[in-house]
Amino acid sequence: MSVVNEKLKLENIRSALIRQEDTIVFDFLERAQFPVNEKVYKEGSEGCLNLQQTDKSFLEFLLHEEEKLYSLVRRYASPEEYPFTSDLPEPILPDFKKPFPLHRNEVNVNAEIYDYYVKEIVPKICANGNDSDNFGSTAVSDIRCLQSLSRRIHYGKFVAEAKFLANPEKYKKLIEARDSEGIINAIVDPVQEGRVLQRLHYKALTYGRDSADPTKPTDKINADTVVSIYKEYVIPMTKKVEIDYLLNRLKD
């Protein structure tokens, strides 16, 4: 079996999504150790960046600088990775030799992920306040959270492609009819979604506990909050990616 087919096997996709749950929970735990630090997200004179030549927030500035470096080593040539910023340099490494497993597409919802993360997720997982000594650590943690959320949400493309290849005639009819509701009904497994939320709740409770006393409830992060972020945003946004990807699946 080819490498492409292996990556598109549903059991392999599920394994990848389960690993990504671990990453997101751990990244949230890392971010939760710092207060909101809203100045990290403020632009210009309201922020904390001492650079006159930019009106970006500190997080936007650091994210762009990091993505410029990652772009050089072809991170965004991977079907699993998508940049939040633009004006990035071309890779200095040659193209990947392995075939691209997805249909070529331009679906990227990172602008929406960034906005939701800053406005909704950070206030939910972090205490109020500003700690200027940890502005740098805060932004670094934010970038890890944004990257893990982006990878998880855009991985919906793998689910969509696997479903399409399993029954191309069915999906072609739905795509040609522009039937978004029909596409989602064909892709979604409500029972599996319920398992995901249960598993996520257990992980958030377990990973957040003090290892010296595993019976003590965690106060590092609220497990119900993590589940609500998945239920109210991560899963719906993943569905949006799946729909957008499939609606463009028949284009050359």
Side-chain angles (χ1 to χ4, degrees), residues 4-208:
V4 173
N5 286 338
E6 282 294 327
K7 286 188 73 70
L8 292 172
K9 288 176 65 175
L10 285 175
E11 57 265 37
N12 292 339
I13 294 172
R14 289 195 186 101
S15 294
L17 293 175
I18 289 172
R19 292 194 302 272
Q20 290 167 27
E21 292 167 9
D22 297 340
T23 302
I24 289 173
V25 172
F26 279 121
D27 286 343
F28 281 3
L29 284 167
E30 285 296 309
R31 179 59 184 89
Q33 68 181 308
F34 308 114
V36 170
N37 283 338
E38 63 181 7
K39 283 194 173 185
V40 169
Y41 316 114
K42 297 290 186 180
E43 299 176 356
S45 61
E46 294 184 359
C48 61
L49 193 57
N50 293 323
L51 287 176
Q52 299 300 320
Q53 65 269 33
T54 180
D55 59 357
K56 295 178 181 177
S57 70
F58 177 42
L59 177 57
E60 289 170 336
F61 173 82
L62 188 62
L63 184 57
H64 189 209
E65 293 302 308
E66 183 168 306
E67 289 195 336
K68 286 193 287 188
L69 180 60
Y70 281 135
S71 183
L72 287 173
V73 293
R74 70 185 178 196
R75 177 170 186 162
Y76 307 114
S78 165
E80 302 174 24
E81 303 286 349
Y82 298 85
F84 283 84
T85 64
S86 56
D87 191 25
L88 299 175
E90 292 297 318
I92 57 176
L93 293 175
D95 293 339
F96 290 116
K97 293 182 178 179
K98 294 178 181 178
F100 197 78
L102 301 175
H103 186 73
R104 293 290 177 177
N105 67 94
E106 301 295 328
V107 178
N108 184 337
V109 296
N110 277 346
E112 296 169 68
I113 293 172
Y114 183 97
D115 190 59
Y116 189 87
Y117 173 79
V118 171
K119 293 180 179 178
E120 301 292 338
I121 294 179
V122 171
K124 288 180 180 178
I125 65 176
C126 301
N128 290 326
N130 276 293
D131 176 9
S132 61
D133 288 343
N134 281 302
F135 283 164
S137 297
T138 294
V140 170
S141 292
D142 283 330
I143 292 172
R144 301 289 88 78
C145 289
L146 287 167
Q147 289 171 335
S148 58
L149 285 167
S150 174
R151 188 179 304 111
R152 168 60 179 81
I153 289 169
H154 286 100
Y155 218 83
K157 295 181 184 183
F158 284 84
V159 177
E161 180 68 11
K163 296 277 189 172
F164 178 88
L165 293 177
N167 195 341
E169 293 306 314
K170 174 182 179 179
Y171 283 95
K172 283 179 182 177
K173 291 179 181 178
L174 292 169
I175 293 167
E176 289 169 349
R178 314 306 285 175
D179 186 356
S180 298
E181 184 177 353
I183 290 173
I184 276 301
N185 289 337
I187 290 177
V188 169
D189 182 347
V191 175
Q192 183 63 26
E193 281 189 9
R195 291 183 187 136
V196 168
L197 296 176
Q198 289 178 348
R199 186 171 61 236
L200 196 67
H201 190 273
Y202 174 78
K203 288 178 178 180
L205 276 178
T206 303
Y207 299 161

Side-chain angles (χ1 to χ4, degrees), residues 116 120-121 124 193 197 200 224-238:
Y116 189 87
E120 301 292 338
I121 294 179
K124 288 180 180 178
E193 281 189 9
L197 296 176
L200 196 67
D224 290 335
T225 297
V226 176
V227 171
S228 72
I229 291 169
Y230 247 73
K231 184 176 182 179
E232 296 169 11
Y233 187 74
V234 174
I235 291 176
M237 186 56 73
T238 302

Side-chain angles (χ1 to χ4, degrees), residues 206-245:
T206 303
Y207 299 161
R209 283 178 177 155
D210 185 346
S211 59
D213 184 5
T215 64
K216 181 182 177 182
T218 178
D219 58 359
K220 295 179 182 178
I221 196 167
N222 186 293
D224 290 335
T225 297
V226 176
V227 171
S228 72
I229 291 169
Y230 247 73
K231 184 176 182 179
E232 296 169 11
Y233 187 74
V234 174
I235 291 176
M237 186 56 73
T238 302
K239 292 176 183 177
K240 173 178 168 35
V241 167
E242 291 168 347
I243 291 172
D244 291 348
Y245 174 83

